[in-house]
Each structure stands twice: as C-alpha cells, then as structure tokens.
Amino acid sequence: MMRTTVTSFSFLLYLGLITSCQKTAESSPPDPMESLAKLEWIDLSYSFDSTTLYWPNNPTGFELHTEAEGMTEKGYFYSSYSLSTPEHGGTHLDAPVHFSEKGLKLDELRLDQLIGKAVLIDVSEQALADRDYLIDTAAIMAWERRNGQIPEQSMVLFRTGYGKFYPDREKYFGTAKTGMEAIPELHFPGIHPDAAKFLAEQRKVKAVGLDTPSLDYGQSQDFASHQVLMGNNIPGFENMANLDQLPDSGIYIVALPIKIKDGSGGPLRVIAGVGR
Amino acid sequence: MMRTTVTSFSFLLYLGLITSCQKTAESSPPDPMESLAKLEWIDLSYSFDSTTLYWPNNPTGFELHTEAEGMTEKGYFYSSYSLSTPEHGGTHLDAPVHFSEKGLKLDELRLDQLIGKAVLIDVSEQALADRDYLIDTAAIMAWERRNGQIPEQSMVLFRTGYGKFYPDREKYFGTAKTGMEAIPELHFPGIHPDAAKFLAEQRKVKAVGLDTPSLDYGQSQDFASHQVLMGNNIPGFENMANLDQLPDSGIYIVALPIKIKDGSGGPLRVIAGVGR
C-alpha cells in the first residue's frame, strides 16, 4: 500500500514535469516579437544638413529649402521643406550599379540583402596609425581566429575609427580642399581589393560597410574594391556612424535606403539591433 | 528491496526530466538572432520616380538628375545621380513639427518611436464605398471587439484600400487636376479628428499610418487630425504600400525616414516583419 502510494506520487510528479517541460518548449522560441522587444536599436546614420560631407568634387551638397514655415491664416502652425542632394554623401548606400553596368539598382535590392546578421571587424589601431591603411585579408583572418569563420550571407562592417573625425572634412578626408584638385590629396583607409575579393568569393557576404567616405582608400585610382564588390552585386554602406557602439558579433542590421527607382545609391538610414 | 528499486528508478527519471527541461530552457529563448531569422519582411514603401504622387499644389515632384553614367576613361563603368524632392510625397513620414510649432523634428524622433509593434485596422469596405469616409472611433472599437484593446505604445495602421489606386492621381486623390484649383476637389478617406484624439489620449499610440495621401480626408479644411496627432508628438506615415499583405496584429514595424536635420518630414522606407 505504501509502495503503491510512493510510485503513484512519482508518476504524478513525472507527468507534471512532462507537462511543464512541454509548456517551456512551446512558449519560448517561436515568437520573434518577444525577441525583438529584447533588442536595443542603435542609429548608425548621420543627420543630413549643410555640414554633411560629400566627395570633394561634388558641386553641391545637401540643401533644405523652406516651402512654408509659420502660422497659417486659418490659425494653425505649418512647416514644410524640400531637399536636394547627390545620392552619394553622408551616410549612404552604394548600389551595385554604381560601379557595375549590369549590377542591381537601388530599388532592386531585396530586403533580405539589406537586413540580417552582421559582424564588426575593428581595424582602428592600424587605420589610425596610417591614413593610407588598406584593410587586408590578414585583418579578417585575425578576427576569425578570435570569433570563428564569418558565416555566409553575413554583413561585414569595418571600424576604422575615422568616424570620430566626421564631419571635419580635413581630418576625415585628409584634405580640406574641394574640387578636382582635392582628389590626389585624399588620405583615408579603405578595403584592399584582395580582401574585397575574399569577402565576396570565400565568405559570400551580402553587404559591406565602414566609417569612411569610400569602400576604397583615398589614394585609389581605379576603385578596385568597389568594382569587385559591386561586380558581385554586393552593396556598400559608407560614412556609417557610431560603429564604436557595436560588439564584435551578434549584430542585427536593418539598412533602409530611400527607395529611388533606378538609383545608383542614396541616403541610407541604417540601424543595428544588439542584445540588451 | 523491490520498492526501493522502483522509487529510485522514478527518482532518476525525475532527475533526467529536470535536466532535459533545463537544457530546453537554456538553449531556446536567449538568442534573439535566431528568432529574427523567422520573420518575413514586407516592404510598405513605393519607389520614388517621376510618377510619385505629391500634393496637387506642389510645383515639382521627384527628380533624378544624371551626374555620370557610362564607361570611364579608365575602363570601368560608373553611374551617379542627384535627386530633389519635396519632403511630403510618395511614401513619407510627417514629423510632429509639420503641424505643431514645438513638435519633434524629423531627426529628433527616437528610434523607439519609429520601431515596434503595430496593429492593422481594415476600413476598406467603408472607405471604398464612400470617398469622403472618415475613420471614426466606432471603427477602432469594432477592431478591438475582435482583437482586444490596442496596447499602449502601439503603432496603428489603417487600410482604406486606396493603395490599389496608387499612382493613378485621379483615382487616388479624387481629381486629376493639379495646382490650387485641385484642392477643393480632393476626395479620399481620412481619420476623423475624434478618432485621432482617441488614439492619442485613450490608446497612447506612438505612430499612425495609412494608405492615402494624408491623415486627414481630402475635404479637410483645417487638417484637424494632423493637429491632434502632431500636437501629441505622434508622427504619421502616409502613402503606405502593400497594407493588404498584413495580418490584423502581430506586426513589427521598422519605419526609417531619411534623417533630415530640422526636417518636417521626408521620404520614408517602412517595412513590416510578420511571422512566417
């Protein structure tokens, strides 16, 4: 009698555990909404205004024109503006067609290429020591030794540390000059074409971004890294902000450019979700 | 002896279940990245091009100017454009300062006001039957009877069904005319000011959006719903696309406007994450 009681009690305990166990399994992973609530979002975009940096030979930068601003005759306040800007300046996206005739245009990029997991490779020590530093495959391999191989279809962000100079043109570009005469004097770090090729072919990344004005370094003549990446339909994010706030991995990027039909690029609002 | 054996067996089973239960709990919920991979993202934004719809009295619309397009003398392809546009046209965001002198400007909106859970209220039956339909509190209450009360800090999206007319100016606005003479002939649905007040004060929503050119209906003289929402620092999303692809709830919105310093609004890329 006593033995039966104990066994029945154990059996009930067993049933209870199975039930609570199933509840845990059912209620935890499948709801992405709850996971999203756990993310902290960080803005990786600069504001657009009269100080926004453009490539030195752009004849104009960002302009905001006042269309209306003040009280209306009906007694309510109203303000409205219009804007003009080159596609490529400030925090922006380079669509593949920027350097590849058959590459995807801005509006043709699918959301799944603009959204997803990213890794951050910090090369600021090398880049801040040498304005002409080229991010090489060795820098990527060094990151992989610490963090494991970059998974396919990742986005790769490089932190050169030059973001801290933005929007000081001289410190950011290496010259305060504008116009064509500034071009030979551009000195800022960029991605070595071999590293671009490695990311495209060996790691099959879906996007690349960094905190400088260009994927290629300032002294580039042929924009070879642009050519390699865009030739593989890989877009680039340039002049990214706040990369110093990101961890090495566990980053979820949402990169949403203004949807310009047939655009070669354009103003980009890019944010990163990281675990709280 | 037999009794001890059975009890010990039950005890071991019990221990085993606790262990496997803990493993399930440990390995499933903490990685939000895995849950995010389960989201399907839907683009709620129209492309910007020469057909993009602006308020009829805008002197200009969206313009893309070719700066470069073709083979360079160095042997690689290069294309680059510049753009100009009024802030308020196509899929765009109204910042509170658009109708409220002390309201938040476009670049002052925090990411947590632009990102989060949303509900969709489908009023297309009423709106398609009456071009001057005003979305009233009753329509919101009808949704709540089926789905429960709208949680505080939600975004609320209204589907009027007028999205299917975009970019046909006559069907979308109610008139093909442009210029000031078009204004009295605007006929499209909008939000009743009482419903706007209810959403702001009773439901404390953080953003409102819809698939028409304006939060207020076409015949509005004073844009009272804009005034109410913006007076409460609630931004609006106008000319949203693809609202017919959304469920009633379980929607995660990421609304990223171009970050214009001191802007009253601007081109918006807005996407919705829904469970697959």
Side-chain angles (χ1 to χ4, degrees):
Chain A
M1 183 63 189
M2 186 60 189
R3 174 180 157 184
T4 314
T5 309
V6 172
T7 312
S8 300
F9 175 72
S10 299
F11 183 68
L12 285 174
L13 198 63
Y14 172 79
L15 273 183
L17 272 168
I18 288 179
T19 312
S20 74
C21 213
Q22 284 178 333
K23 271 187 191 156
T24 307
E26 275 171 20
S27 63
S28 51
D31 186 359
M33 296 296 149
E34 297 310 313
S35 301
L36 286 162
K38 294 195 181 81
L39 285 180
E40 177 192 2
W41 292 104
I42 299 168
D43 199 343
L44 307 181
S45 331
Y46 295 115
S47 292
F48 282 87
D49 62 21
S50 60
T51 71
T52 297
L53 291 180
Y54 291 80
W55 204 252
N57 63 341
N58 270 286
T60 56
F62 181 83
E63 292 176 5
L64 195 64
H65 308 279
T66 302
E67 304 291 339
E69 190 182 279
M71 293 302 287
T72 61
E73 56 188 24
K74 295 205 169 154
Y76 60 84
F77 178 85
Y78 179 74
S79 69
S80 183
Y81 310 86
S82 62
L83 58 130
S84 60
T85 174
E87 289 175 326
H88 300 271
T91 305
H92 72 283
L93 184 144
D94 280 6
V97 75
H98 188 37
F99 275 88
S100 172
E101 188 163 12
K102 295 183 178 165
L104 292 169
K105 296 169 179 177
L106 186 55
D107 60 313
E108 293 174 337
L109 287 165
R110 289 163 47 98
L111 289 182
D112 60 14
Q113 195 166 4
L114 298 171
I115 299 173
K117 290 188 199 183
V119 305
L120 180 85
I121 302 181
D122 190 335
V123 295
S124 59
E125 194 175 319
Q126 305 95 302
L128 289 169
D130 174 8
R131 294 196 67 97
D132 296 328
Y133 171 67
L134 280 164
I135 301 163
D136 52 16
T137 310
I140 299 168
M141 299 303 276
W143 184 94
E144 289 193 340
R145 275 195 298 279
R146 290 192 307 275
N147 299 279
Q149 187 169 315
I150 298 166
E152 281 191 13
Q153 292 303 304
S154 294
M155 301 191 192
V156 175
L157 311 179
F158 293 105
R159 179 176 176 257
T160 68
Y162 280 52
K164 72 176 175 183
F165 299 137
Y166 193 95
D168 181 322
R169 179 175 287 276
E170 181 162 13
K171 289 184 180 157
Y172 195 66
F173 278 104
T175 174
K177 290 186 187 167
T178 56
M180 285 307 288
E181 64 268 31
I183 307 296
E185 296 183 29
L186 293 173
H187 291 279
F188 54 80
I191 302 167
H192 193 289
D194 291 346
K197 196 164 189 290
F198 176 80
L199 290 173
E201 295 177 4
Q202 303 298 315
R203 292 297 175 265
K204 303 189 191 315
V205 303
K206 64 180 181 186
V208 174
L210 79 181
D211 56 351
T212 72
S214 176
L215 299 168
D216 283 280
Y217 79 146
Q219 286 290 296
S220 175
Q221 302 286 317
D222 56 2
F223 303 96
S225 293
H226 275 88
Q227 289 190 55
V228 167
L229 293 169
M230 317 258 130
N232 283 279
N233 266 325
I234 296 169
F237 314 143
E238 295 169 334
N239 298 325
M240 295 182 83
N242 298 325
L243 292 187
D244 57 334
Q245 295 183 26
L246 298 185
D248 283 355
S249 61
I251 304 164
Y252 190 77
I253 290 287
V254 179
L256 297 182
I258 169 176
K259 196 174 179 180
I260 302 170
K261 175 133 174 71
D262 296 336
S264 78
L268 171 68
R269 193 75 180 266
V270 52
I271 62 175
V274 297
R276 280 182 205 274
Chain B
M1 183 63 188
M2 185 61 186
R3 174 180 154 183
T4 312
T5 309
V6 171
T7 312
S8 300
F9 174 73
S10 300
F11 183 69
L12 285 173
L13 197 65
Y14 171 80
L15 272 184
L17 273 168
I18 288 180
T19 312
S20 75
C21 216
Q22 283 177 334
K23 271 187 190 157
T24 307
E26 272 170 25
S27 62
S28 52
D31 187 359
M33 297 297 150
E34 297 310 314
S35 302
L36 288 166
K38 296 196 180 79
L39 282 179
E40 178 191 2
W41 291 104
I42 299 168
D43 199 343
L44 308 180
S45 331
Y46 296 116
S47 292
F48 282 87
D49 61 21
S50 59
T51 70
T52 296
L53 291 181
Y54 291 80
W55 205 252
N57 63 341
N58 269 287
T60 55
F62 181 83
E63 292 175 6
L64 195 64
H65 308 280
T66 302
E67 305 290 338
E69 190 182 278
M71 292 302 286
T72 62
E73 57 190 24
K74 296 206 169 153
Y76 59 85
F77 178 85
Y78 179 74
S79 68
S80 183
Y81 310 87
S82 62
L83 58 131
S84 61
T85 175
E87 289 176 326
H88 300 271
T91 304
H92 72 283
L93 184 144
D94 280 5
V97 75
H98 188 36
F99 275 89
S100 172
E101 188 163 13
K102 294 184 178 163
L104 291 169
K105 297 169 179 176
L106 186 55
D107 59 313
E108 293 174 339
L109 287 165
R110 289 163 47 98
L111 289 183
D112 59 15
Q113 194 166 5
L114 298 171
I115 299 173
K117 290 188 195 182
V119 304
L120 180 84
I121 302 181
D122 190 333
V123 295
S124 58
E125 195 176 320
Q126 305 95 301
L128 290 169
D130 174 8
R131 293 196 68 96
D132 296 328
Y133 172 67
L134 280 164
I135 301 163
D136 52 15
T137 310
I140 300 167
M141 300 303 277
W143 184 94
E144 289 193 340
R145 274 195 298 278
R146 290 191 306 275
N147 298 279
Q149 186 170 315
I150 298 167
E152 281 191 15
Q153 292 303 304
S154 295
M155 302 189 190
V156 176
L157 310 179
F158 292 105
R159 178 176 177 258
T160 68
Y162 280 52
K164 72 177 175 183
F165 299 137
Y166 193 95
D168 181 321
R169 178 176 287 275
E170 181 163 12
K171 289 185 181 159
Y172 194 66
F173 277 105
T175 175
K177 289 186 186 167
T178 54
M180 286 306 290
E181 66 270 29
I183 307 296
E185 297 183 28
L186 293 172
H187 292 280
F188 54 80
I191 303 167
H192 192 291
D194 290 347
K197 196 164 189 289
F198 176 80
L199 290 174
E201 295 178 3
Q202 303 298 315
R203 292 297 176 267
K204 302 189 190 316
V205 303
K206 64 181 181 186
V208 174
L210 79 182
D211 56 352
T212 74
S214 174
L215 300 169
D216 283 280
Y217 78 147
Q219 286 290 296
S220 175
Q221 302 286 317
D222 55 2
F223 303 96
S225 293
H226 275 88
Q227 289 190 55
V228 166
L229 294 170
M230 316 259 130
N232 284 278
N233 266 325
I234 297 169
F237 314 144
E238 294 168 335
N239 299 325
M240 296 182 81
N242 298 326
L243 292 187
D244 58 334
Q245 295 183 25
L246 298 185
D248 284 354
S249 60
I251 304 164
Y252 191 79
I253 291 287
V254 179
L256 297 183
I258 169 176
K259 196 173 179 181
I260 303 170
K261 177 134 172 68
D262 296 337
S264 78
L268 172 68
R269 193 74 180 265
V270 53
I271 62 174
V274 296
R276 281 183 206 274

